[in-house]
Amino acid sequence: MTQKVTIHDVAQQAQVSVGSVSRALNNYPHVSEELRSRVMAAALELDYQPAFLANGLRRGQTNSVGFLVGTIANPVISTIFEAASEALSDHGYAVTLLSSRNQAQLDVACLRLLARRQVSGLIVSSAAESPEPARRYVGELGIPTVMLDREATSDELVYAVQSDHESSMRQALAHLISRGHREIAFIGGPEDFYPTRQRCLAYQAALLDADLPQRPELIRFTSFNERAAYAEALLLLQSGTQPSALIVAGNIILAGALMALQDLGLVVGRDIALVACDDINLTRLYRPPITAIRRDLKLLGVTAARLLLRGMQVELNEIERIIKLPTELVLRESTQYARALPHKAPAARKEGAIRTTLN
Amino acid sequence: MTQKVTIHDVAQQAQVSVGSVSRALNNYPHVSEELRSRVMAAALELDYQPAFLANGLRRGQTNSVGFLVGTIANPVISTIFEAASEALSDHGYAVTLLSSRNQAQLDVACLRLLARRQVSGLIVSSAAESPEPARRYVGELGIPTVMLDREATSDELVYAVQSDHESSMRQALAHLISRGHREIAFIGGPEDFYPTRQRCLAYQAALLDADLPQRPELIRFTSFNERAAYAEALLLLQSGTQPSALIVAGNIILAGALMALQDLGLVVGRDIALVACDDINLTRLYRPPITAIRRDLKLLGVTAARLLLRGMQVELNEIERIIKLPTELVLRESTQYARALPHKAPAARKEGAIRTTLN
DNA sequence: CGCTAGCCTGAAATCGTTTTCCGCGCCAGA
DNA sequence: TCTGGCGCGGAAAACGATTTCAGGCTAGCG
């Protein structure tokens, strides 16, 4: 009923052959103006829309890209996805989103599924604990792929967009150190998860630069799971060396850490300084507002989409295969007080307004 | 290179015809065990995967469903989506996600696009300001569709899963009234947005039940935009009648309202009681924790997926076309203090721990 | 022993496009 | 006048599967 009108109907309506209809509608050269307009009129009248499947079968291509994530229920991922999806959509590509549920074996299964569906391109931002098999499989696939804030591979057709986690992390540590903190703890995701590793390396490098001791017991890795992060934070905060500052890498981990702090009766900004590694509603609106490392998520998504588009169309004239985008440290009250200073009253209202400003 | 192995290769390898290969692999009856195993072996050896496009063209169906949202960058939507997507994925369906960017005209365009791609089913949870054209178009499409927390239509093949916004909203009002509040304000999304309307009707009904006056100036509608919500909340709070309690319908609006409260120096739970209409990280972790109406988002998503699956397979034996799922009021500190009581110290740590417990 | 019913399988039609191939007419140049 | 080239458009192949159709074989029954 809905999709009954085929190219044959249009051909009959316009009194031409199906081949001519196809040529006319696809803007081929050597089609007379008269025939073209006749076909256009017929197509318009019948509300003809070429069948996607037949088109794709013949052309060997689907005009759709697969997007693989560990979970979409994460404000950072979903914001990036939305931006990328809109950019791709503007170029006629539809996006099928697959979630690997943060499981490595599903990772590869999802990629297989997408390959079977003959997606024209892939964006991969999965967060499996052992990403290696998936990365290797992506290389074998021969499909243009953008690794999104993940480690690049040397395979042809595999591109990468990354955030510059290092520089802002070093800024964050410089900031904390300047405020007198020396026991600065770090809680990240899995140790081999790319952003976590980058942040952790920068954290260690910054300590080294400041001639501060590396304390292994202050570095904790956990999985992307609020309960696990909560437990790890609790362990850290109840261990012998009580840190005076805490850096949490990732918003799920932030949630767990905040719960641990609250359960221990530690007040953020007074008893302990807190830096978060992504700027989300929670960091802006929390009382006190939480210092965070911000990146332009929409830019990240759009850049991934553009890189993929370039990779999918053949006109790729000497394009960068790996792009690294800047990040920014946003100072807020959670790191405002210097160490060992007594708790002061919150800042005046006006200042508060500025700090919690939109964006 | 990747997808070169076709059914002909398998047929040649197994020394049978292509028709037999198809029958063997699709578990047709009347296929000898010997032939079946021979084909299986050949398929396995060649790593044959039937071409999705050819299969779909012949069968006239894609095994994929379209999911239309206003924006996926919303923790409530993305959680629902993920649950639905996983359930559909478990049954062999892939989901292509389209965002209408909260624009009505894009709404219809997105649906057209999905229809052209011959999706086998649709889940619609768009949030355009004027949803009517889209709803009508969905009915004309003749594709099994689930309206997700949106108004149902009387069209055949159109189903609906909704949350029972009314009962919890009435509970919330009863709770606030029992604490002495009489000037209870309501800020919602667009007036014709289904959840907003349901909540607002319940709000008004509850006031009526309690013999409290309806004050039109305490009911505000805004759009799904943090800035707009912020502005509207500011207007409300600075108008003549200062409400002692505030109900915000939706998490984007919550963010705007919290900013307005903070900018006015109003402390949640002390100067004003606050009830949020979706329980997200922010409501749990905010200080003080915010009383919220909770619903099982995963159940919502899974139910939508199951309803759609039933609608897509022909075996629909007298199934409910509209399902309404329960909601629940979660009491937290933001509504703990009775009106006009002086500000007391926060609850003891232990109690706090219980209140911010996971789930 | 012959006929039929039923299982099994190969050949071919089919899905709706795109694209190749070919032929027709026309015009210009020899 | 013949011919080669070019613009145009029709016919049919191709894409890769599923499904129909028909026929061969076996077994069972008269």
Side-chain angles (χ1 to χ4, degrees), chain A residues 127-145:
Chain A
E129 307 259 339
S130 64
E132 264 318 307
R135 291 183 55 231
R136 219 171 315 124
Y137 189 65
V138 160
E140 294 168 6
L141 236 37
I143 299 176
T145 301

Side-chain angles (χ1 to χ4, degrees), chain B residues 275-293:
Chain B
V275 175
C277 275
D278 263 310
D279 196 22
I280 57 178
N281 273 352
L282 184 59
T283 52
R284 281 193 303 127
L285 297 170
Y286 196 78
R287 306 271 74 187
I290 299 171
T291 293
I293 293 175

